[in-house]
Amino acid sequence: MTTPTPPADAQRHLEESLASVREALTGLRFGTVALTVHEGRVVQIDVTEKKRLKPS
């Protein structure tokens, strides 16, 4: 069973989406990254970062 090759535009969008997710994860120590997908395409990336404070 073979997987069909996506069109060039879809492949480019996928590569850009992966690069954006990678960028969102870079340097994130604590938090979440949420993806919003419409019709099989990433349309939004939400990053929530938590900052841990030391008790004084």
Side-chain angles (χ1 to χ4, degrees):
M1 177 194 244
T2 61
T3 304
T5 305
D9 185 49
Q11 183 66 30
R12 183 182 53 78
H13 179 76
L14 176 61
E15 294 298 327
E16 289 174 358
S17 296
L18 289 172
S20 295
V21 170
R22 190 175 295 114
E23 182 179 326
L25 290 171
T26 301
L28 183 65
R29 294 195 59 207
F30 299 98
T32 60
V33 176
L35 304 177
T36 302
V37 178
H38 286 238
E39 297 182 1
R41 297 178 71 136
V42 176
V43 295
Q44 182 173 323
I45 300 172
D46 294 310
V47 179
T48 303
E49 185 172 1
K50 295 182 181 262
K51 299 280 185 178
R52 305 289 181 172
L53 304 175
K54 295 180 181 179
S56 53

